[in-house]
Amino acid sequence: MSTKTPLPVASPPPAAKPSEAGRHLALEITGMTCASCVRRVERALEEVPGVAAATVNLAAASADIIVAQPVEPGALITAVTGAGYQAAVPATVRADDVARRRAAQAAELRKRRMSLAVGAVLSAAVLVVTYGFGSAAWAGWAQLALTLPVYVWTGAVFHRGALEAARHRTTNMDTLVSLGATVAFGYSVIATIALPGQMTYYDVAALIITLIAVGKYMELAGRARAGAAIEALAELQPRTGHLMARAASGQSGDISATVDIPAEALRPGDTVLVRPGEAIPADGELAEGTGLVDESMLTGEPLPQEKRPGDTLTGGTVNGLAPLVLQVAHTGAETVLSQIMDLVDAAQKEKSKAQRLADRISSVFVPLILAISAITFAGWLLAGAGAVTALITAVAVLVVACPCALGLATPVAIMAGTGRGAQLGLLIRGGESLERVHGLATVVLDKTGTLTTGHPEVVRLLPVDGSDGHDALALAAGAEAASEHPLARAVVAAAEERNLVPAAAADVEAVAGRGVTALVAGQLVQAGSLAWLEQAGVDTSAASHDAVHLADAAQTPIAVAVDGRLRLLLGVADALRPDSPAGVARLRSLGLEPVLATGDVLEAATATAGAAGISNVHAELLPQDKSALVKQLRRERGPAAMVGDGINDAPALAAADIGIAVATGSGAAMAAADITLVHGGVGAVADAVMLARATRRIIRQNLGWAFGYNLLLVPLAAAGILPPVLAAAAMATSSVTVVGNALRLRRFGSTSRHRDRPPRHGMVTPTASTSR
């Protein structure tokens, strides 16, 4: 292909259009500081005509809007702006966008660090002057000079937030901090100028701002780390594709003449070169080449996977040392990586019942604290205390209250948990799914593709002529090489595994449901059922006993005759995944009862269940039967999960308390599931359950801390037991505590993930029958 030939590229993204009825629309929200902001934005969005519901996430700084009728994005942005915040329609998440976002976050954190450094140094100086030279005549003026930059510069973010809220006749966390610091600082300025000799509280004003600013800095840094998972996924998106041939263009290409185009400009049917060490630019099929591909971004497994022509390649995975030629099948939003990002993004935005409760409480939290502060001030005055004492106690109430902890308790845990899950190949839909995992009693498992590999394999090789059977297998593979039948593919694969090179076949004749006849290396080869060979005049008596044993083990017998003489008997089955027994054992260790539900015959189901360690077996089920079984188990035993990978599993997945889909299966199964396993296996099911339980445990700890903190410390501050400085330190600690606790989820599975991995060449157990 000539490098001068112009090739079409992607068109620019369209402008934001009105949303369709019943659809979701996302907005990026900036300016929110606490959970009371969340409810205010939600109410503003829900008042827009056509909006059915709005869910705002403080940790993700985003809104998910469900519309009942078409709505202009501009109307939603106007509503958010009118509530005192900023909004924008998010662009498609790409590596370049992530880099810009991270640069903006880094700049913001640097700015915060600088103001914090100034605030910390000057606050320390205020303390030295206050407690070392407090009686000096110049002490008040020195404290004023040192505190003013802290109040104006370090505290600017709080003052701006409070003024913006006041302009829209609302209150938020900034209101509490700014008001508390302003009261302490304002009184001290008045005392310094007009009331010489009176006690001042510059130290209180400086430390309130500095300590809470430290807490906000750590909170922002922690929230950025919690949301880093989806950004890491976005960075995996390839940026360039080496185009060899354009789909339907009639052009042909070669490795020496390629055109580099943006990955998003690729389209299905394109032929693309993937050089050694490069990320694969799109989903597709390996057309040429053989090599190893690092798929750890999908599976969490460190070992690269061998790829041969015809195998599936996933965009974002990394090529090894050999050049590969990719036939593009899916691009853009249809790629596996994009779908994973969408699932993770949706999961991080979804609210649990606990979060909704916290948000409702937080919506009245700040006004309630302002009322308590006013009552505290009045109460101390009525009790005979001085105005200054009453004022400082009221300041302590303002400062100690922390709506941030309430607002962040759940979303930051969900962000950390779902993000960690994505890194491990476990896609959890969100907070509601996490809550339903609690109390699971039963896990219903589909057989094919879940407990088993999902495709026929030769699991037994039984020569009947006294040889090792390899010669007959090579001849059979030559006869089957041109067929796409699953059993034929299994025979060819068995020969390849044994490094047998089949000879070319001639006069190939396939008999549907029976077998195949061909001339291979000058010999007549017949491969198929024993009954068919017997009808063709081949003596099969020597294999009849072994054939019965294969059938009893739920294996399909394939007989191979050469020049009219029976040479070999093969047992073909859908083999049990090597990790299935360990995965079933882990489910039992978690207190879950595994149940096998399959549409396969009872013999095959029983063989699979016995090999995997499952005693409760239900076979020969139609899709509606699986759904009915799940409902029955829910009634009899309590909450149940369903694990499946096919379209026939979708009804049962939807009927279960938790639906778990294997991503290698159908889109219908994944759409109906609460959890998607990017890599299959029962062990991954156990990982998903453990991660969901760990995330839910963190959420409960965070909510318990957030509620308990406010219920305990607000009364202590109102009683005068907790002074303003300690109140500021406590508030700064509270929100950092819930964020830090949630970030522990980022280490989930780091030491124990591979403890159940089976030997690389574990025993393969036959499990299924397949008719030819």
Side-chain angles (χ1 to χ4, degrees), residues 530 543-553 557 569:
L530 281 171
S544 58
H545 182 71
D546 287 334
V548 171
H549 281 293
L550 292 179
D552 289 342
L569 192 64

Side-chain angles (χ1 to χ4, degrees), residues 314-648:
T314 303
T317 58
V318 180
N319 185 23
L321 301 177
L324 303 177
V325 176
L326 169 72
Q327 188 80 22
V328 176
H330 301 290
T331 61
E334 296 181 354
T335 63
V336 170
L337 181 58
S338 292
Q339 292 172 11
I340 290 174
M341 290 171 59
D342 290 342
L343 283 169
V344 176
D345 185 53
Q348 294 185 343
K349 291 176 180 176
E350 184 185 284
K351 287 190 180 183
S352 66
K353 294 178 181 177
Q355 185 177 347
R356 292 192 186 99
L357 173 63
D359 286 350
R360 284 196 297 270
I361 293 174
S362 297
S363 66
V364 298
F365 186 87
V366 174
L368 179 63
I369 292 301
L370 290 173
I372 292 174
S373 179
I375 293 171
T376 299
F377 178 73
W380 278 80
L381 287 180
L382 292 174
V388 174
T389 300
L391 193 66
I392 294 303
T393 307
V395 167
V397 172
L398 291 173
V399 172
V400 78
C402 189
C404 294
L406 284 174
L408 292 171
T410 297
V412 75
I414 290 176
M415 289 180 69
T418 53
R420 178 57 178 162
Q423 293 173 338
L424 299 177
L426 312 171
L427 307 181
I428 302 172
R429 182 159 289 186
E432 292 283 1
S433 302
L434 292 169
E435 288 187 340
R436 290 197 300 273
V437 167
H438 178 68
L440 276 180
T442 307
V443 176
V444 181
L445 300 162
D446 175 49
K447 181 180 74 67
T448 305
T450 302
L451 284 175
T452 67
T453 60
H455 57 270
E457 297 178 18
V458 173
V459 294
R460 294 290 297 276
L461 197 71
L462 300 173
V464 295
D465 61 354
S467 70
D468 61 6
H470 285 187
D471 289 343
L473 177 60
L475 293 171
E480 300 276 23
S483 175
E484 293 299 323
H485 191 282
L487 294 181
R489 295 290 86 205
V491 173
V492 173
E496 291 176 348
E497 289 173 1
R498 292 163 176 79
N499 297 317
L500 303 177
V501 181
D507 299 332
V508 179
E509 180 182 354
V511 181
R514 297 291 187 173
V516 63
T517 299
L519 286 176
V520 183
Q523 302 177 79
L524 176 65
V525 178
Q526 297 164 290
S529 67
L530 281 171
W532 177 62
L533 288 180
E534 190 172 352
Q535 290 175 1
V538 177
D539 181 9
T540 62
S541 58
S544 58
H545 182 71
D546 287 334
V548 171
H549 281 293
L550 292 179
D552 289 342
Q555 299 175 34
T556 299
I558 296 180
V560 180
V562 180
D563 289 333
R565 187 167 65 91
L566 187 65
R567 297 276 303 276
L568 178 66
L569 192 64
L570 302 173
V572 180
D574 182 8
L576 186 74
R577 292 174 58 99
D579 58 353
S580 288
V584 169
R586 286 187 61 198
L587 290 178
R588 292 189 186 280
S589 71
L590 294 173
L592 304 172
E593 177 63 25
V595 175
L596 178 61
T598 178
D600 208 345
V601 296
L602 180 61
E603 293 80 4
T606 303
T608 299
I614 299 174
S615 57
N616 194 337
V617 181
H618 299 263
E620 301 179 29
L621 301 180
L622 297 174
Q624 59 267 32
D625 298 329
K626 289 186 179 182
S627 179
L629 173 64
V630 169
K631 293 176 182 177
Q632 176 186 341
L633 291 172
R634 291 178 64 191
R635 289 193 302 270
E636 295 176 352
R637 304 187 182 188
M642 172 69 196
V643 186
D645 71 331
I647 293 175
N648 63 321

